[in-house]
């Protein structure tokens, strides 16, 4: 089957309306959210699980590469084509397959490939429960399965990486034959199409024995993160403890469904805002809380003053949009931005990133958006730690800070509900501030290097201090992260004329010397070299290298040939 025959067959399966073959129309699928850009012979958007299976069969018959994609919100280009391949590439978008089934009274959920974290969060809210992640990727419409496949981490201290051993997926075996593997813990009829049709229609029963044997979340993570004297990170993408089936597969499988744990939501929360100029004081707080508290906080987010400032300037419009409209509207806002920028790209006189420029211009003259007490802490302190507690943990934290902070040089605030919401929202928009700076000031720098790293749990000198040989190449740094998990996101804006590839190599060498593992939670995509454990996971899942080849800077050729 040649490429023309393949596209014809795909059109028969999904319908001509849901097959994209024009290069310009494919751009929103083939260009990554932050990184990655390539080409494909077609983008198929199936409307049922059976259509997805038939599309995979057609691609198998044509010896075509398959790249699965949900929301295209990845930060490392791991769900888009990149570079050249030895076979035709078909991108399959699962955005029309968004069904969610709540099981066991909402204690678990079975999610199809296009189901988003935001969608699951809204479905669980009436039950007083929530998914693994509740801010961050969820706000941009990221999929539940995407998080599982990438071992995404998130900010919630108790939960660790997105993980399950319960999934339903397709793979190509050593002979290149398509197989459907059911590890979902549900009883389904025989035959691939009958099985998929029954699942999508909700015609299934749970298998109790499987539930007892297979975890649907990282159930050991709280004990792991509490071991503050261990010389390894609490979590990182190549950790073999969290590589199983769909979990950590990074697109080397076609995942039809996953079954994941859902969690009780705290009835009442409180935000404590800590500021200090001594990073050792934050290290002490982290060790004290993790090793002695009966109830861990919900989250503990770090924000450096540089990240605070970038977010204040280049995240203001997003902050105001979320405050006024809520996170549920973010996917629509981003869709509008994407559509406007694609239209503007056709008009030579219009600037790049027109949507960003319009939003920035609208937000700039507005009054300060952050509460006065938070702005005052910015002026006083270089390092900021935001701690959210819930229920019993609030009193424990209040007592600890009242005793500990007077013996330190820093200070803390017990935030009002509005201050607490704004503090965490400010931390959230910090994640895109450096990207926005780069897009609006393209001539000021050579570009952006973004790393997510996991430090050993026992590392006391956690603050990054770059040597002059590296720091002189950097115009500005934005540092933020999940402090108690020791996971940090570092955005480096390079000076004009800098060799970005060389700078990234130097930064990774520096991080390795600190004992850091990377990536920590965004998976390798096309940015990072996969560690041996992750590479072996990919090879075991995908022996012919037919699903998303090349991620982790690994071979792209069939059968993993160099």
């Amino acid at each position: 089957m040649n490429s023309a025959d393949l596209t014809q067959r795909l059109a028969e399966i999904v319908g001509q309306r849901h097959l994209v073959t024009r290069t310009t129309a494919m751009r929103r699928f083939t260009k990554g959210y932050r990184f990655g850009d390539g080409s494909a012979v077609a983008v198929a958007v199936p409307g049922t699980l059976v259509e997805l299976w038939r599309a995979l069969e057609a691609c198998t018959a044509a010896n075509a590469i398959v790249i699965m994609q949900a929301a295209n919100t990845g930060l490392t280009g791991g769900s888009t084509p990149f570079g050249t391949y030895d076979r035709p590439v078909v991108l399959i978008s699962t955005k029309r397959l968004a069904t969610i089934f709540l099981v066991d009274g909402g204690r678990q959920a079975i999610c199809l490939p296009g189901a988003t974290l935001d969608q699951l969060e809204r479905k669980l809210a009436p039950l007083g429960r929530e998914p693994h992640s509740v801010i961050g990727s969820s706000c941009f419409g990221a999929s539940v399965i995407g998080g599982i496949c990438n071992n995404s981490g998130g900010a919630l201290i108790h939960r660790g990486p997105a993980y399950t051993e319960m999934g339903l997926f397709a793979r190509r075996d050593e002979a290149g034959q398509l197989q459907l593997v059911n590890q979902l813990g549900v009883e389904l009829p025989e035959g691939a199409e009958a099985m998929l049709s029954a699942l999508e229609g909700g015609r299934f029963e749970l298998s109790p024995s499987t539930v007892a044997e297979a975890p649907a979340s990282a159930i050991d993570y709280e004990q792991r993160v509490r071991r503050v004297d261990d010389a390894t990170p609490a979590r990182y993408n190549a950790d073999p403890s969290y590589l199983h089936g769909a979990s950590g597969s990074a697109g080397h499988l076609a995942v039809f469904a996953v079954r994941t744990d859902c969690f009780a939501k705290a009835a009442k929360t409180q935000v404590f805002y800590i500021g200090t100029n001594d990073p050792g004081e934050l290290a002490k707080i982290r060790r004290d809380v993790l090793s002695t508290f009966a109830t861990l906080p919900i989250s503990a987010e770090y924000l450096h003053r540089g990240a605070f400032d970038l977010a204040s300037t280049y995240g203001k419009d997003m902050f105001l949009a979320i405050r006024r409209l809520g996170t549920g509207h973010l996917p629509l806002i981003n869709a509008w931005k994407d559509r406007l920028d694609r239209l503007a790209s056709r008009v030579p006189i219009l600037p790049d990133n027109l949507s960003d420029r319009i939003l920035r211009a609208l937000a700039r003259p507005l009054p300060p958006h952050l509460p006065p007490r938070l702005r005052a802490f910015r002026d006083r302190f270089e390092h900021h730690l935001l701690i959210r507690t819930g229920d019993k943990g609030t009193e424990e934290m209040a007592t600890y800070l009242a005793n500990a902070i007077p013996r330190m040089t820093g200070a803390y605030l017990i935030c009002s509900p509005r201050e607490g919401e704004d503090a965490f929202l400010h931390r959230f928009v910090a994640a895109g501030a450096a990207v926005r700076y780069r897009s609006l000031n393209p001539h000021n720098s050579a570009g952006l290097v973004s790393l997510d790293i996991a430090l050993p749990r026992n590392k006391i000198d956690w603050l990054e201090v770059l040597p002059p040989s590296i720091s002189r190449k950097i115009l500005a740094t934005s540092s933020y992260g999940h402090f108690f998990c020791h996971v940090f996101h570092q955005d480096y804006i390079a000076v004009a004329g800098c060799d970005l590839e060389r700078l990234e190599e130097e930064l990774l060498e520096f991080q390795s010397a600190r004992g850091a593992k990377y990536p920590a939670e965004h998976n390798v995509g096309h940015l990072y070299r996969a560690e041996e454990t992750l590479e072996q996971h990919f090879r075991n899942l995908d022996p012919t290298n037919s699903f998303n080849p090349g991620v982790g800077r690994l071979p792209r050729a069939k059968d993993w040939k160099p």
Side-chain angles (χ1 to χ4, degrees):
M1 190 186 299
N2 60 33
S3 294
D5 292 334
L6 175 58
T7 54
Q8 176 61 37
R9 176 61 184 138
L10 290 172
E12 293 169 0
I13 293 168
V14 303
Q16 192 66 54
R17 178 184 174 189
H18 299 294
L19 185 73
V20 186
T21 55
R22 288 189 301 110
T23 301
T24 53
M26 285 195 287
R27 287 281 289 169
R28 63 193 178 100
F29 299 98
T30 58
K31 181 176 174 57
Y33 169 70
R34 181 185 281 189
F35 179 83
D37 193 357
S39 60
V41 297
V43 176
V45 191
T48 68
L49 293 183
V50 170
E51 287 184 4
L52 172 55
W53 172 256
R54 291 173 178 170
L56 293 173
E57 287 185 314
C59 291
T60 301
N63 190 31
I65 287 168
V66 172
I67 297 177
M68 301 292 294
Q69 184 184 98
N72 192 14
T73 57
L75 301 181
T76 59
S79 60
T80 55
F82 188 79
T84 58
Y85 299 87
D86 62 337
R87 292 153 288 170
V89 175
V90 173
L91 194 153
I92 299 182
S93 169
T94 62
K95 64 179 185 176
R96 296 174 64 205
L97 306 172
T99 304
I100 295 173
F101 300 102
L102 298 185
V103 298
D104 193 18
R107 290 177 177 83
Q108 290 186 329
I110 294 176
C111 300
L112 301 196
T116 67
L117 283 162
D118 175 68
Q119 185 184 350
L120 178 56
E121 184 179 0
R122 286 186 277 111
K123 198 173 184 73
L124 288 167
L127 304 177
R129 303 188 72 80
E130 61 188 11
H132 169 270
S133 299
V134 292
I135 194 167
S137 298
S138 59
C139 299
F140 290 99
S143 70
V144 176
I145 284 181
I148 296 291
C149 292
N150 289 317
N151 281 147
S152 299
L156 302 181
I157 298 167
H158 304 78
R159 300 180 192 172
Y163 179 76
T164 185
E165 295 183 11
M166 308 181 80
L168 176 65
F169 54 82
R171 65 189 293 269
R172 290 186 197 169
D173 64 16
E174 290 79 359
Q177 300 300 307
L178 195 65
Q179 295 179 330
L180 188 61
V181 180
N182 181 14
Q183 299 175 348
L184 199 58
V186 300
E187 297 180 359
L188 296 167
E190 295 293 326
E193 294 196 3
M195 182 184 297
L196 296 171
S197 179
L199 175 63
E200 190 163 21
R203 301 185 302 276
F204 58 82
E205 293 184 2
L206 305 185
S207 304
S209 60
T210 310
V211 178
E213 296 171 2
S217 62
I219 56 177
D220 66 334
Y221 187 73
E222 180 171 342
Q223 290 71 40
R224 178 183 288 223
V225 77
R226 282 181 178 274
R227 297 201 297 267
V228 294
D229 292 317
D230 282 17
T232 56
R235 56 178 166 95
Y236 60 101
N237 281 130
D239 185 344
S241 304
Y242 297 129
L243 300 177
H244 185 284
S247 295
S249 60
H252 278 286
L253 297 171
V255 184
F256 287 82
V258 294
R259 183 167 166 180
T260 66
D261 286 335
C262 304
F263 304 87
K265 195 173 183 178
K268 187 177 182 181
T269 63
Q270 174 63 55
V271 173
F272 299 87
Y273 195 107
I274 302 167
T276 182
N277 292 312
D278 181 356
E281 294 181 347
L282 296 189
K284 176 173 172 48
I285 292 171
R286 173 182 169 272
R287 289 179 65 85
D288 287 349
V289 172
L290 291 178
S291 60
T292 68
F293 272 38
T295 303
L296 290 184
I298 296 170
S299 55
E301 294 294 286
Y302 171 73
L303 193 66
H304 185 268
R305 180 188 279 156
F308 188 107
D309 291 345
L310 271 176
S312 295
T313 303
Y314 292 96
K316 183 178 181 179
D317 58 304
M318 188 59 69
F319 181 103
L320 293 173
I322 295 172
R323 184 199 273 172
R324 303 280 173 84
L325 302 175
T327 57
H329 286 81
L330 273 187
L332 291 176
I333 294 172
N334 285 313
W336 169 82
K337 287 172 81 279
D338 178 71
R339 190 173 298 111
L340 178 61
D341 288 339
R342 282 191 286 114
L343 290 172
S345 68
R346 302 174 189 173
V347 183
I349 62 171
L350 292 178
D352 292 336
N353 304 303
L354 179 62
S355 64
D356 283 338
R357 296 177 185 278
I358 291 173
L359 291 172
R360 171 107 165 87
L362 291 173
R364 186 186 301 171
L366 298 176
H369 58 290
L370 292 174
R373 292 206 300 172
L374 300 192
R375 299 201 308 270
F377 259 49
R378 179 265 165 219
D379 295 338
R380 291 175 60 190
F381 301 116
E382 181 180 1
H383 306 288
H384 301 243
L385 180 62
L386 296 60
I387 300 179
R388 187 190 301 277
T389 59
D391 301 334
K392 295 179 181 179
T394 296
E395 183 177 351
E396 192 171 13
M397 181 61 68
T399 301
Y400 170 79
L401 292 177
N403 290 319
I405 293 297
R407 296 193 295 270
M408 299 180 181
T409 62
Y412 75 100
L413 304 173
I414 301 176
C415 293
S416 68
R418 179 59 176 269
E419 286 176 327
E421 290 176 10
D422 286 354
F424 270 86
L425 182 52
H426 188 59
R427 156 62 185 91
F428 169 67
V429 300
V435 178
R436 176 67 67 81
Y437 173 91
R438 168 59 183 157
S439 71
L440 295 178
N441 300 279
H443 305 298
N444 290 7
S445 77
L448 184 68
V449 174
S450 297
L451 306 180
D452 67 299
I453 63 168
L455 294 180
R457 283 164 281 182
N458 66 348
K459 194 165 187 63
I460 302 297
D461 55 337
W462 59 271
L463 182 65
E464 175 183 279
V465 180
L466 296 173
S469 61
I470 298 179
S471 62
R472 66 170 176 248
K473 300 179 182 180
I474 296 172
L475 185 66
T477 300
S478 179
S479 179
Y480 49 94
H482 316 310
F483 190 69
F484 283 8
C485 297
H486 254 194
V487 168
F488 294 88
H489 302 284
Q490 307 286 115
D491 292 329
Y492 309 92
I493 301 170
V495 299
C498 177
D499 182 338
L500 277 184
E501 286 192 15
R502 179 57 187 156
L503 175 60
E504 183 178 358
E505 290 173 2
E506 292 174 342
L507 286 166
L508 291 177
E509 289 172 4
F510 171 80
Q511 299 296 355
S512 293
R514 301 175 70 207
K517 290 283 192 179
Y518 47 80
E521 60 180 12
H522 289 160
N523 219 302
V524 288
H526 291 286
L527 280 177
Y528 298 91
R529 177 68 168 83
E531 287 192 24
E532 185 178 348
T533 53
L534 196 57
E535 178 179 353
Q536 193 57 53
H537 184 52
F538 295 164
R539 287 176 179 266
N540 291 339
L541 295 174
D542 186 16
T544 63
N545 202 23
S546 297
F547 287 93
N548 209 15
V551 292
R553 299 187 178 182
L554 297 173
R556 300 171 185 272
K558 187 177 181 181
D559 300 324
W560 297 90
K561 294 176 182 177

